[in-house]
Amino acid sequence: MAGLTVLVDHIATLRETMQSPRPDPAAAALLADIGGADGIGVYLREDRRYVQEKDVRLLRQSIHSRLVLYMSASPEMVGFALDVRPERVVLMPPIDEEDQGDNGMTVRTYDKNLLEVVDTLQSNGISVGITVAPAPEQIKAVHQVHANWVQIFSGRLGASKSPASQGQEWDKIVDAVKMAHRLRLHIAVGGGLDYRLIKLFSGLSEIDEFSLGRSIIAKAVLVGMERAVRDMVALIRSL
């Protein structure tokens, strides 16, 4: 049965937009814990625009579920991860790359620098995932740089404007999941998924985890964080 990591980035975005100490990502994370989340995810950008280092440190101290830190593979961020020690790091493209947020990283086979980053984190007890598009060559490359996890970006599924284009994106995700499973990678899927789209994944048992943020935070505005997380957990368990 797949787990759920709840991303609390948008709580920090709201806080910084309001220029207020609240809402607090750590408080939202604790409610997500109570609601049954298996992990809490947070994206620390290099420009610290929304999530701050103090947020990550407070999450490390306060949550009961695992901490998943989304970050670039820069030396600065690797050093921070080694200091904070999340259970998992998920590598993302730097924010100045054109494709960041669209597809994930472009991983090159046997990339020496990426191999070193993965090895450094793993040698210090931190599991490593990499976010990539649902493309065969990217799944293979994640395997070849020895990452533990692949996070398959699903954002184009929700952004599809027609049933035909959505079907094409769905087929890409299914193929990517099947390939990652054959390569014995742990598999997470995330990006643009909501309470409707998650139902499409019924029967795709190879997935180990879903990573969701925006849709849960949006529902939490109406029903509260704990309830929003419980509802998503129930949907995932029914797949």
Side-chain angles (χ1 to χ4, degrees):
M1 182 173 60
L4 171 65
T5 287
V6 177
L7 282 74
V8 295
D9 298 7
H10 292 290
I11 300 294
T13 301
L14 182 58
R15 177 192 64 192
E16 297 302 315
T17 301
M18 296 172 63
Q19 297 183 344
S20 167
R22 295 180 179 81
D24 180 10
L30 288 173
L31 291 171
D33 264 354
I34 296 170
D38 300 285
I40 300 298
V42 64
Y43 180 21
L44 183 64
R45 294 164 51 123
E46 290 179 318
D47 64 2
R48 311 299 195 268
R49 183 177 297 179
Y50 303 121
V51 176
Q52 308 299 315
E53 289 185 18
K54 63 182 181 181
D55 294 320
V56 184
R57 294 186 187 280
L58 185 55
L59 287 169
R60 173 72 289 173
Q61 295 168 7
S62 59
I63 64 174
H64 303 293
S65 56
R66 62 176 170 265
L67 176 61
V68 183
L69 177 60
Y70 290 74
M71 65 180 216
S72 73
S74 70
E76 177 203 5
M77 298 306 300
V78 171
F80 179 76
L82 293 176
D83 183 40
V84 174
R85 299 297 179 105
E87 279 75 23
R88 188 191 317 155
V89 157
V90 177
L91 298 175
M92 303 278 288
I95 61 170
D96 58 349
E97 285 190 14
E98 292 182 0
D99 63 351
Q100 83 88 27
D102 292 332
N103 289 297
M105 288 185 69
T106 299
V107 182
R108 295 172 178 84
T109 304
Y110 299 116
D111 182 310
K112 181 180 178 181
N113 291 332
L114 195 53
L115 276 163
E116 290 178 353
V117 168
V118 171
D119 180 65
T120 296
L121 292 167
Q122 290 174 340
S123 297
N124 284 273
I126 301 171
S127 182
V128 180
I130 303 177
T131 299
V132 295
E137 66 276 8
Q138 288 301 293
I139 304 299
K140 291 177 183 176
V142 170
H143 177 255
Q144 289 165 345
V145 296
H146 304 154
N148 310 95
W149 285 76
V150 60
Q151 176 144 335
I152 298 170
F153 181 74
S154 54
R156 293 183 181 273
L157 182 67
S160 298
K161 302 299 184 182
S162 69
S165 61
Q166 186 177 83
Q168 291 172 354
E169 292 304 320
W170 171 248
D171 289 342
K172 291 178 184 178
I173 292 171
V174 171
D175 289 345
V177 167
K178 299 291 186 182
M179 174 175 285
H181 181 68
R182 289 195 298 270
L183 294 172
R184 298 184 179 180
L185 289 163
H186 294 292
I187 303 165
V189 177
L193 298 180
D194 57 25
Y195 293 80
R196 174 182 60 87
L197 289 172
I198 201 72
K199 298 176 183 178
L200 294 175
F201 291 83
S202 178
L204 201 56
S205 60
E206 295 89 347
I207 297 172
D208 297 291
E209 180 179 284
F210 291 95
S211 300
L212 294 98
R214 185 178 304 175
S215 61
I216 290 176
I217 302 304
K219 184 168 183 175
V221 171
L222 301 177
V223 303
M225 191 70 173
E226 182 181 346
R227 167 72 182 278
V229 172
R230 285 194 188 282
D231 287 352
M232 182 59 74
V233 169
L235 282 172
I236 291 172
R237 287 178 177 171
S238 71
L239 296 178

PDB file of all heavy atoms in Angstrom, residues 108-131:
ATOM      1  N   ARG A 108      21.821  13.008 -16.403  1.00  0.00           N
ATOM      2  CA  ARG A 108      22.680  12.428 -17.427  1.00  0.00           C
ATOM      3  C   ARG A 108      23.323  11.160 -16.893  1.00  0.00           C
ATOM      4  O   ARG A 108      23.766  11.118 -15.751  1.00  0.00           O
ATOM      5  CB  ARG A 108      23.740  13.436 -17.863  1.00  0.00           C
ATOM      6  CG  ARG A 108      23.140  14.662 -18.552  1.00  0.00           C
ATOM      7  CD  ARG A 108      24.156  15.741 -18.817  1.00  0.00           C
ATOM      8  NE  ARG A 108      23.537  16.874 -19.507  1.00  0.00           N
ATOM      9  CZ  ARG A 108      22.879  17.845 -18.897  1.00  0.00           C
ATOM     10  NH1 ARG A 108      22.754  17.826 -17.576  1.00  0.00           N
ATOM     11  NH2 ARG A 108      22.345  18.833 -19.576  1.00  0.00           N
ATOM     12  N   THR A 109      23.370  10.156 -17.722  1.00  0.00           N
ATOM     13  CA  THR A 109      23.898   8.855 -17.320  1.00  0.00           C
ATOM     14  C   THR A 109      25.307   8.984 -16.759  1.00  0.00           C
ATOM     15  O   THR A 109      26.189   9.579 -17.379  1.00  0.00           O
ATOM     16  CB  THR A 109      23.905   7.900 -18.526  1.00  0.00           C
ATOM     17  OG1 THR A 109      22.578   7.827 -19.048  1.00  0.00           O
ATOM     18  CG2 THR A 109      24.367   6.518 -18.116  1.00  0.00           C
ATOM     19  N   TYR A 110      25.499   8.434 -15.582  1.00  0.00           N
ATOM     20  CA  TYR A 110      26.800   8.418 -14.920  1.00  0.00           C
ATOM     21  C   TYR A 110      27.392   9.821 -14.743  1.00  0.00           C
ATOM     22  O   TYR A 110      28.591  10.042 -14.884  1.00  0.00           O
ATOM     23  CB  TYR A 110      27.786   7.509 -15.674  1.00  0.00           C
ATOM     24  CG  TYR A 110      27.333   6.081 -15.731  1.00  0.00           C
ATOM     25  CD1 TYR A 110      27.025   5.472 -16.945  1.00  0.00           C
ATOM     26  CD2 TYR A 110      27.161   5.337 -14.572  1.00  0.00           C
ATOM     27  CE1 TYR A 110      26.583   4.159 -16.999  1.00  0.00           C
ATOM     28  CE2 TYR A 110      26.715   4.027 -14.609  1.00  0.00           C
ATOM     29  CZ  TYR A 110      26.435   3.447 -15.830  1.00  0.00           C
ATOM     30  OH  TYR A 110      25.995   2.139 -15.875  1.00  0.00           O
ATOM     31  N   ASP A 111      26.540  10.801 -14.447  1.00  0.00           N
ATOM     32  CA  ASP A 111      26.986  12.159 -14.148  1.00  0.00           C
ATOM     33  C   ASP A 111      27.874  12.123 -12.901  1.00  0.00           C
ATOM     34  O   ASP A 111      27.422  11.764 -11.818  1.00  0.00           O
ATOM     35  CB  ASP A 111      25.749  13.031 -13.909  1.00  0.00           C
ATOM     36  CG  ASP A 111      26.077  14.490 -13.631  1.00  0.00           C
ATOM     37  OD1 ASP A 111      26.931  14.752 -12.773  1.00  0.00           O
ATOM     38  OD2 ASP A 111      25.454  15.356 -14.263  1.00  0.00           O
ATOM     39  N   LYS A 112      29.147  12.508 -13.062  1.00  0.00           N
ATOM     40  CA  LYS A 112      30.114  12.368 -11.973  1.00  0.00           C
ATOM     41  C   LYS A 112      29.714  13.181 -10.752  1.00  0.00           C
ATOM     42  O   LYS A 112      29.766  12.687  -9.613  1.00  0.00           O
ATOM     43  CB  LYS A 112      31.507  12.789 -12.447  1.00  0.00           C
ATOM     44  CG  LYS A 112      32.576  12.651 -11.377  1.00  0.00           C
ATOM     45  CD  LYS A 112      33.944  13.069 -11.893  1.00  0.00           C
ATOM     46  CE  LYS A 112      34.994  12.963 -10.786  1.00  0.00           C
ATOM     47  NZ  LYS A 112      36.339  13.394 -11.271  1.00  0.00           N
ATOM     48  N   ASN A 113      29.309  14.436 -10.969  1.00  0.00           N
ATOM     49  CA  ASN A 113      28.941  15.279  -9.825  1.00  0.00           C
ATOM     50  C   ASN A 113      27.724  14.743  -9.097  1.00  0.00           C
ATOM     51  O   ASN A 113      27.675  14.727  -7.861  1.00  0.00           O
ATOM     52  CB  ASN A 113      28.672  16.711 -10.304  1.00  0.00           C
ATOM     53  CG  ASN A 113      29.925  17.415 -10.776  1.00  0.00           C
ATOM     54  OD1 ASN A 113      31.029  17.110 -10.321  1.00  0.00           O
ATOM     55  ND2 ASN A 113      29.769  18.349 -11.692  1.00  0.00           N
ATOM     56  N   LEU A 114      26.736  14.290  -9.859  1.00  0.00           N
ATOM     57  CA  LEU A 114      25.533  13.758  -9.239  1.00  0.00           C
ATOM     58  C   LEU A 114      25.827  12.454  -8.509  1.00  0.00           C
ATOM     59  O   LEU A 114      25.301  12.207  -7.420  1.00  0.00           O
ATOM     60  CB  LEU A 114      24.450  13.560 -10.296  1.00  0.00           C
ATOM     61  CG  LEU A 114      23.019  13.338  -9.782  1.00  0.00           C
ATOM     62  CD1 LEU A 114      22.598  14.441  -8.828  1.00  0.00           C
ATOM     63  CD2 LEU A 114      22.050  13.260 -10.965  1.00  0.00           C
ATOM     64  N   LEU A 115      26.682  11.629  -9.091  1.00  0.00           N
ATOM     65  CA  LEU A 115      27.103  10.404  -8.419  1.00  0.00           C
ATOM     66  C   LEU A 115      27.734  10.710  -7.071  1.00  0.00           C
ATOM     67  O   LEU A 115      27.476  10.031  -6.072  1.00  0.00           O
ATOM     68  CB  LEU A 115      28.096   9.632  -9.295  1.00  0.00           C
ATOM     69  CG  LEU A 115      27.504   8.705 -10.364  1.00  0.00           C
ATOM     70  CD1 LEU A 115      28.577   8.351 -11.387  1.00  0.00           C
ATOM     71  CD2 LEU A 115      26.945   7.448  -9.727  1.00  0.00           C
ATOM     72  N   GLU A 116      28.560  11.750  -7.028  1.00  0.00           N
ATOM     73  CA  GLU A 116      29.231  12.123  -5.776  1.00  0.00           C
ATOM     74  C   GLU A 116      28.231  12.629  -4.751  1.00  0.00           C
ATOM     75  O   GLU A 116      28.343  12.310  -3.558  1.00  0.00           O
ATOM     76  CB  GLU A 116      30.293  13.189  -6.060  1.00  0.00           C
ATOM     77  CG  GLU A 116      31.492  12.664  -6.839  1.00  0.00           C
ATOM     78  CD  GLU A 116      32.504  13.748  -7.159  1.00  0.00           C
ATOM     79  OE1 GLU A 116      32.205  14.941  -6.884  1.00  0.00           O
ATOM     80  OE2 GLU A 116      33.578  13.417  -7.684  1.00  0.00           O
ATOM     81  N   VAL A 117      27.252  13.420  -5.192  1.00  0.00           N
ATOM     82  CA  VAL A 117      26.231  13.924  -4.266  1.00  0.00           C
ATOM     83  C   VAL A 117      25.428  12.771  -3.688  1.00  0.00           C
ATOM     84  O   VAL A 117      25.203  12.688  -2.471  1.00  0.00           O
ATOM     85  CB  VAL A 117      25.304  14.933  -4.980  1.00  0.00           C
ATOM     86  CG1 VAL A 117      24.074  15.236  -4.117  1.00  0.00           C
ATOM     87  CG2 VAL A 117      26.058  16.220  -5.294  1.00  0.00           C
ATOM     88  N   VAL A 118      24.981  11.870  -4.550  1.00  0.00           N
ATOM     89  CA  VAL A 118      24.203  10.719  -4.092  1.00  0.00           C
ATOM     90  C   VAL A 118      25.011   9.886  -3.112  1.00  0.00           C
ATOM     91  O   VAL A 118      24.513   9.488  -2.043  1.00  0.00           O
ATOM     92  CB  VAL A 118      23.747   9.867  -5.300  1.00  0.00           C
ATOM     93  CG1 VAL A 118      23.123   8.558  -4.825  1.00  0.00           C
ATOM     94  CG2 VAL A 118      22.753  10.644  -6.162  1.00  0.00           C
ATOM     95  N   ASP A 119      26.260   9.623  -3.441  1.00  0.00           N
ATOM     96  CA  ASP A 119      27.107   8.805  -2.563  1.00  0.00           C
ATOM     97  C   ASP A 119      27.344   9.485  -1.224  1.00  0.00           C
ATOM     98  O   ASP A 119      27.302   8.831  -0.166  1.00  0.00           O
ATOM     99  CB  ASP A 119      28.447   8.529  -3.255  1.00  0.00           C
ATOM    100  CG  ASP A 119      29.372   7.675  -2.402  1.00  0.00           C
ATOM    101  OD1 ASP A 119      29.035   6.510  -2.139  1.00  0.00           O
ATOM    102  OD2 ASP A 119      30.431   8.184  -1.973  1.00  0.00           O
ATOM    103  N   THR A 120      27.593  10.794  -1.237  1.00  0.00           N
ATOM    104  CA  THR A 120      27.836  11.528   0.012  1.00  0.00           C
ATOM    105  C   THR A 120      26.626  11.447   0.939  1.00  0.00           C
ATOM    106  O   THR A 120      26.759  11.178   2.137  1.00  0.00           O
ATOM    107  CB  THR A 120      28.167  12.998  -0.288  1.00  0.00           C
ATOM    108  OG1 THR A 120      29.382  13.065  -1.031  1.00  0.00           O
ATOM    109  CG2 THR A 120      28.334  13.802   0.997  1.00  0.00           C
ATOM    110  N   LEU A 121      25.445  11.682   0.397  1.00  0.00           N
ATOM    111  CA  LEU A 121      24.228  11.644   1.215  1.00  0.00           C
ATOM    112  C   LEU A 121      23.951  10.236   1.727  1.00  0.00           C
ATOM    113  O   LEU A 121      23.668  10.032   2.915  1.00  0.00           O
ATOM    114  CB  LEU A 121      23.046  12.166   0.405  1.00  0.00           C
ATOM    115  CG  LEU A 121      23.086  13.662   0.058  1.00  0.00           C
ATOM    116  CD1 LEU A 121      22.042  13.997  -0.996  1.00  0.00           C
ATOM    117  CD2 LEU A 121      22.887  14.520   1.287  1.00  0.00           C
ATOM    118  N   GLN A 122      24.071   9.262   0.853  1.00  0.00           N
ATOM    119  CA  GLN A 122      23.807   7.882   1.263  1.00  0.00           C
ATOM    120  C   GLN A 122      24.814   7.399   2.302  1.00  0.00           C
ATOM    121  O   GLN A 122      24.456   6.671   3.235  1.00  0.00           O
ATOM    122  CB  GLN A 122      23.816   6.969   0.045  1.00  0.00           C
ATOM    123  CG  GLN A 122      22.630   7.174  -0.881  1.00  0.00           C
ATOM    124  CD  GLN A 122      22.735   6.352  -2.149  1.00  0.00           C
ATOM    125  OE1 GLN A 122      23.823   5.921  -2.534  1.00  0.00           O
ATOM    126  NE2 GLN A 122      21.614   6.131  -2.815  1.00  0.00           N
ATOM    127  N   SER A 123      26.062   7.824   2.160  1.00  0.00           N
ATOM    128  CA  SER A 123      27.097   7.417   3.120  1.00  0.00           C
ATOM    129  C   SER A 123      26.830   7.968   4.512  1.00  0.00           C
ATOM    130  O   SER A 123      27.359   7.460   5.503  1.00  0.00           O
ATOM    131  CB  SER A 123      28.476   7.883   2.638  1.00  0.00           C
ATOM    132  OG  SER A 123      28.819   7.266   1.418  1.00  0.00           O
ATOM    133  N   ASN A 124      25.993   9.008   4.566  1.00  0.00           N
ATOM    134  CA  ASN A 124      25.634   9.604   5.852  1.00  0.00           C
ATOM    135  C   ASN A 124      24.221   9.201   6.282  1.00  0.00           C
ATOM    136  O   ASN A 124      23.606   9.873   7.119  1.00  0.00           O
ATOM    137  CB  ASN A 124      25.760  11.119   5.769  1.00  0.00           C
ATOM    138  CG  ASN A 124      27.212  11.574   5.805  1.00  0.00           C
ATOM    139  OD1 ASN A 124      27.778  11.766   6.872  1.00  0.00           O
ATOM    140  ND2 ASN A 124      27.819  11.717   4.622  1.00  0.00           N
ATOM    141  N   GLY A 125      23.732   8.115   5.727  1.00  0.00           N
ATOM    142  CA  GLY A 125      22.467   7.553   6.176  1.00  0.00           C
ATOM    143  C   GLY A 125      21.221   8.216   5.632  1.00  0.00           C
ATOM    144  O   GLY A 125      20.127   8.023   6.173  1.00  0.00           O
ATOM    145  N   ILE A 126      21.364   9.013   4.563  1.00  0.00           N
ATOM    146  CA  ILE A 126      20.219   9.723   3.985  1.00  0.00           C
ATOM    147  C   ILE A 126      19.845   9.072   2.667  1.00  0.00           C
ATOM    148  O   ILE A 126      20.661   8.985   1.746  1.00  0.00           O
ATOM    149  CB  ILE A 126      20.546  11.214   3.767  1.00  0.00           C
ATOM    150  CG1 ILE A 126      20.935  11.882   5.087  1.00  0.00           C
ATOM    151  CG2 ILE A 126      19.365  11.936   3.127  1.00  0.00           C
ATOM    152  CD1 ILE A 126      21.474  13.299   4.932  1.00  0.00           C
ATOM    153  N   SER A 127      18.613   8.601   2.565  1.00  0.00           N
ATOM    154  CA  SER A 127      18.114   8.040   1.317  1.00  0.00           C
ATOM    155  C   SER A 127      17.974   9.164   0.285  1.00  0.00           C
ATOM    156  O   SER A 127      17.671  10.309   0.648  1.00  0.00           O
ATOM    157  CB  SER A 127      16.762   7.368   1.568  1.00  0.00           C
ATOM    158  OG  SER A 127      16.273   6.765   0.396  1.00  0.00           O
ATOM    159  N   VAL A 128      18.191   8.853  -0.988  1.00  0.00           N
ATOM    160  CA  VAL A 128      18.207   9.881  -2.026  1.00  0.00           C
ATOM    161  C   VAL A 128      17.219   9.545  -3.134  1.00  0.00           C
ATOM    162  O   VAL A 128      17.213   8.427  -3.673  1.00  0.00           O
ATOM    163  CB  VAL A 128      19.611  10.043  -2.637  1.00  0.00           C
ATOM    164  CG1 VAL A 128      19.601  11.137  -3.717  1.00  0.00           C
ATOM    165  CG2 VAL A 128      20.626  10.381  -1.561  1.00  0.00           C
ATOM    166  N   GLY A 129      16.392  10.515  -3.474  1.00  0.00           N
ATOM    167  CA  GLY A 129      15.510  10.423  -4.626  1.00  0.00           C
ATOM    168  C   GLY A 129      15.814  11.546  -5.593  1.00  0.00           C
ATOM    169  O   GLY A 129      16.458  12.540  -5.246  1.00  0.00           O
ATOM    170  N   ILE A 130      15.365  11.387  -6.829  1.00  0.00           N
ATOM    171  CA  ILE A 130      15.550  12.417  -7.848  1.00  0.00           C
ATOM    172  C   ILE A 130      14.228  12.590  -8.586  1.00  0.00           C
ATOM    173  O   ILE A 130      13.599  11.603  -8.985  1.00  0.00           O
ATOM    174  CB  ILE A 130      16.663  12.048  -8.850  1.00  0.00           C
ATOM    175  CG1 ILE A 130      17.988  11.805  -8.127  1.00  0.00           C
ATOM    176  CG2 ILE A 130      16.826  13.149  -9.896  1.00  0.00           C
ATOM    177  CD1 ILE A 130      19.118  11.355  -9.033  1.00  0.00           C
ATOM    178  N   THR A 131      13.800  13.831  -8.751  1.00  0.00           N
ATOM    179  CA  THR A 131      12.573  14.124  -9.474  1.00  0.00           C
ATOM    180  C   THR A 131      12.857  14.240 -10.964  1.00  0.00           C
ATOM    181  O   THR A 131      13.714  15.028 -11.379  1.00  0.00           O
ATOM    182  CB  THR A 131      11.952  15.440  -8.986  1.00  0.00           C
ATOM    183  OG1 THR A 131      11.633  15.326  -7.605  1.00  0.00           O
ATOM    184  CG2 THR A 131      10.680  15.767  -9.750  1.00  0.00           C
TER     185      THR A 131
END
